[in-house]
């Protein structure tokens, strides 16, 4: 077991309905196009595959996909969508769990590497990706840029969503590089809000590049989103691709 917090049955059942933007055709279309192009004629392995938001449509595109998932409850939701023979999933953590065979692509989407709360475990995640890649294969991560530019002196919280049904803000511990994402979600029409929070370890792109070098991978490209927009100092996230030497 790593430091990742475990998704329980209630959170797993709500996940797809609460992530409607991330499951939209606009988001998934570009994501699947990007990943399918990198996978080519090889297999793809998704770390922290969750409910299959990305893995299922990538498999439907014709790419053989396998997954690793820590939460049996998230995996159970995925299993209602597709069978084990079509998309096999191994229960375990993404830093140490091994799936048989070699892959042309290993990927981690939607900030999931930040679920590992220590630098050592994040380094091991890169090593685990390299362990699964065939020569010339690629490791892809989608991760937000730490929002420290929005913090004036003395402030520790940054809002990221203020909408009718959801209030979200992050609190940051700059010394430990830890971020707590707070969510207040309105359930039903009675005006009541459900509170939730999750912990994350944020990392700068340059720190990830060093983790990749430790694992024997080299940066191939970094863009701002799945559509391939240039990554700049104002980009709120990045999609980075590291390659295993052939």
């Amino acid at each position: 077991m790593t430091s990742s917090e475990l998704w329980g049955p209630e959170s797993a059942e709500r996940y797809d309905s609460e992530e409607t933007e991330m499951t939209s055709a606009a988001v998934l279309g570009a994501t699947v196009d990007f990943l399918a192009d990198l996978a080519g004629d090889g297999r793809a392995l998704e770390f922290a595959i969750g409910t299959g938001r990305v893995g299922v449509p990538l498999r439907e595109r014709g790419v053989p996909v396998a997954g690793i998932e820590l939460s049996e409850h998230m995996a159970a939701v995925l299993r209602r969508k597709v069978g084990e023979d079509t998309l096999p999933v191994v229960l375990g953590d993404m830093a140490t769990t091994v799936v048989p065979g070699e892959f042309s692509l290993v990927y981690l989407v939607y900030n999931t590497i930040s679920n590992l709360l220590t630098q050592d475990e994040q380094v091991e995640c890169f090593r685990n990706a390299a362990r699964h890649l065939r020569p010339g294969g690629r490791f892809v991560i989608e991760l937000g840029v730490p929002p420290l530019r929005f913090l004036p002196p003395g402030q520790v919280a940054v809002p990221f969503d203020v909408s009718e049904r959801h209030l979200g803000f992050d609190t940051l511990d700059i010394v430990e590089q830890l971020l707590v994402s707070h969510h207040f979600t309105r359930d039903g029409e009675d005006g009541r809000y459900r509170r939730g929070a999750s912990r994350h370890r944020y990392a700068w792109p340059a720190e990830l590049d060093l983790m990749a070098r430790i694992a024997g991978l080299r940066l191939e490209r970094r863009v701002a989103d799945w559509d391939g927009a240039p990554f700049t100092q104002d980009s709120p996230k990045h999609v980075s691709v590291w390659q295993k030497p052939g």
Side-chain angles (χ1 to χ4, degrees):
M1 174 69 71
T2 69
S3 60
S4 293
E5 295 175 340
L6 194 63
W7 289 73
E10 293 182 359
S11 297
E13 292 295 335
R14 290 194 302 260
Y15 183 80
D16 287 344
S17 62
E18 291 186 347
E19 295 293 343
T20 53
E21 179 182 355
M22 298 304 294
T23 57
S24 67
V27 172
L28 279 182
T31 305
V32 171
D33 286 346
F34 192 104
L35 295 173
D37 181 65
L38 289 179
D41 59 358
R43 303 166 67 209
L45 173 62
E46 181 171 354
F47 285 177
I49 194 170
T51 64
R53 179 183 68 89
V54 174
V56 171
L58 184 61
R59 181 65 185 88
E60 291 172 347
R61 179 67 65 86
V63 177
V65 177
I68 294 173
E69 174 53 44
L70 184 62
S71 168
E72 62 179 310
H73 306 290
M74 295 287 275
V77 175
L78 181 152
R79 194 51 66 222
R80 296 201 295 262
K81 303 175 183 178
V82 63
E84 176 72 16
D85 291 342
T86 302
L87 201 166
V89 174
V90 176
L91 290 177
D93 69 82
M94 56 186 160
T96 64
T97 301
V98 176
V99 176
E102 285 189 326
F103 297 82
S104 61
L105 174 68
V106 178
Y107 65 95
L108 255 176
V109 298
Y110 203 19
N111 305 319
T112 313
I113 193 171
S114 69
N115 291 357
L116 297 171
L117 300 179
T118 70
Q119 186 184 69
D120 285 345
E121 288 174 340
Q122 291 180 353
V123 169
E124 288 306 312
C125 182
F126 271 83
R127 284 178 167 154
N128 200 29
R131 183 181 299 123
H132 285 91
L133 286 173
R134 70 187 188 188
R138 295 173 174 89
F139 182 35
V140 177
I141 285 180
E142 176 191 22
L143 184 62
V145 176
L148 301 189
R149 295 175 66 190
F150 295 99
L151 286 177
Q155 181 173 314
V156 297
V158 176
F160 60 85
D161 184 31
V162 180
S163 57
E164 182 179 356
R165 305 194 68 86
H166 180 255
L167 301 174
F169 63 92
D170 294 329
T171 54
L172 296 102
D173 181 336
I174 298 175
V175 174
E176 299 295 333
Q177 280 186 222
L178 291 176
L179 176 154
V180 180
S181 185
H182 303 266
H183 301 267
F184 294 84
T185 306
R186 193 170 74 180
D187 284 333
E189 301 300 330
D190 59 2
R192 296 185 180 184
Y193 280 79
R194 170 173 40 85
R195 180 177 181 177
S198 58
R199 296 184 299 157
H200 307 269
R201 182 186 186 273
Y202 65 81
W204 297 98
E207 184 181 5
L208 299 182
D209 290 343
L210 186 55
M211 294 181 190
R213 290 180 63 184
I214 292 171
L217 307 176
R218 61 185 181 214
L219 181 68
E220 182 179 69
R221 60 173 157 150
R222 173 169 291 125
V223 291
D225 55 34
W226 296 108
D227 290 314
F231 179 73
T232 72
Q233 64 179 1
D234 296 318
S235 299
K237 73 170 187 179
H238 62 96
V239 176
S240 297
V241 182
W242 297 272
Q243 187 172 37
K244 183 174 183 175

